[in-house]
Amino acid sequence: MDLTAVREVVDGRSTLPWEPGEAWLAGGTALFAEPRADLWRLRDLSRCGWPPLTVTKEGLEVAATCTISDLLAFARAPGQPWPRARTLIADCCRAFSSSFKVWNTATVGGNVCLALPAGPMISLAVALDGMCQVWGWDGRRSRVPVTDFVTGPGRTVLRPGDLLRSLHLPAAALTRPVAWRRVSLRPLGRSAALVTGARASGTGRTSIAVTAATIRPVVLTFDRPPAATVLHDALEDALEPGLIVEDVHGLPAWRRHLVFQLADEVRRALSRR
């Protein structure tokens, strides 16, 4: 899709004043996928030169401009730390309903900022306690949990001109036992429901996160792996009316059923580990 209204593409580091009708450009796979008659200037983040991935003792820093293929290559690379988390990372990368050609261009930050319920990078970041580093156009810097960053379908906490600089995945979360379950109408189709879970090795503290089936991430936390009835009751309380997605990829009743089924499978998997 050509964005015929765009008149200018500038370096992402430009200090030109932010104006209505502008957008940040990373991979552009979503930006160029549909007509955007309101856009006239793009700010190209690929020129910023941010390293895609940075491994430190504090965890993994994922630049917003990191491509899905770069992230998947890290997950598959031998000798890298956090083998459990890397398995989950690879699974979430493969959850994209797109070809490997798109993976070479689409970015982690773009998928999170697009804020689609089925965004697999949102699912990944939620499962691993991801923290968004946000740069405000007014110079402010803030860190926002991914669970709070996405507020609804296509909606985030970003204000005009704000930028998602990176995702931080803490080392403590990257070392935990994890489990995930996913269902879609087709083997390579968009996720209809995706449930992830993690358990702290020392304390047994367990978190179970629901994405894809809900318009925003839903995270449940327990002091220890919950019993089936405890998890069921917690889901009943959390899945308030209007929270389940309704679209061509699955009816709400079916998605709701999947959430309970997949969450219990994740619970049982974590209890065995």
Side-chain angles (χ1 to χ4, degrees):
M1 174 65 67
D2 292 329
L3 299 183
T4 55
V6 172
R7 304 196 301 272
E8 189 176 21
V9 179
V10 299
D11 192 307
R13 297 163 293 185
S14 171
T15 57
L16 288 170
W18 184 274
E19 300 181 39
E22 296 194 56
W24 296 106
L25 171 64
T29 55
L31 192 63
F32 288 91
E34 58 185 18
R36 296 289 299 273
D38 57 315
L39 292 182
W40 67 275
R41 178 193 283 162
L42 301 178
R43 296 180 182 254
D44 186 3
L45 294 174
S46 67
R47 306 183 192 182
C48 295
W50 299 332
L53 297 158
T54 305
V55 176
T56 69
K57 63 180 181 180
E58 286 79 26
L60 180 64
E61 200 75 19
V62 184
T65 49
C66 175
T67 64
I68 306 307
S69 57
D70 282 340
L71 185 61
L72 182 58
F74 167 80
R76 290 173 169 171
Q80 293 290 356
W82 314 304
R84 290 168 172 166
R86 287 192 291 114
T87 297
L88 177 64
I89 290 172
D91 287 337
C92 287
C93 287
R94 288 189 288 263
F96 272 87
S97 57
S98 57
S99 72
F100 69 91
K101 297 178 182 179
V102 174
W103 297 356
N104 289 329
T105 304
T107 62
V108 173
N111 188 250
V112 173
C113 290
L114 193 57
L116 294 178
M121 295 299 98
I122 299 173
S123 303
L124 170 64
V126 168
L128 297 177
D129 292 348
M131 188 74 68
C132 298
Q133 182 179 357
V134 176
W135 287 4
W137 187 251
D138 57 4
R140 63 188 170 83
R141 299 288 188 268
S142 61
R143 294 170 68 84
V144 183
V146 177
T147 51
D148 298 329
F149 183 84
V150 177
T151 59
R155 300 196 305 272
T156 69
V157 298
L158 294 177
R159 299 183 299 186
D162 284 0
L163 168 68
L164 173 61
R165 167 61 180 87
S166 63
L167 283 175
H168 176 72
L169 306 178
L174 291 165
T175 59
R176 297 171 187 162
V178 293
W180 92 311
R181 297 292 187 274
R182 171 181 176 267
V183 169
S184 66
L185 285 173
R186 305 183 309 279
L188 299 179
R190 179 175 292 184
S191 300
L194 198 159
V195 178
T196 55
R199 178 174 58 82
S201 300
T203 64
R205 187 175 178 83
T206 300
S207 64
I208 293 180
V210 179
T211 54
T214 51
I215 61 174
R216 56 173 174 76
V218 174
V219 181
L220 305 176
T221 304
F222 307 90
D223 291 335
R224 60 184 61 85
T229 54
V230 172
L231 175 59
H232 185 279
D233 291 345
L235 285 172
E236 286 283 7
D237 292 339
L239 298 178
E240 58 194 37
L243 195 59
I244 302 295
V245 174
E246 180 176 7
D247 61 17
V248 297
H249 301 285
L251 294 173
W254 178 61
R255 290 180 188 264
R256 183 182 176 87
H257 168 76
L258 288 177
V259 167
F260 283 87
Q261 176 65 34
L262 300 184
D264 190 62
E265 291 180 14
V266 166
R267 178 195 67 81
R268 285 186 275 122
L270 292 175
S271 298
R272 291 193 297 267
R273 297 180 182 181

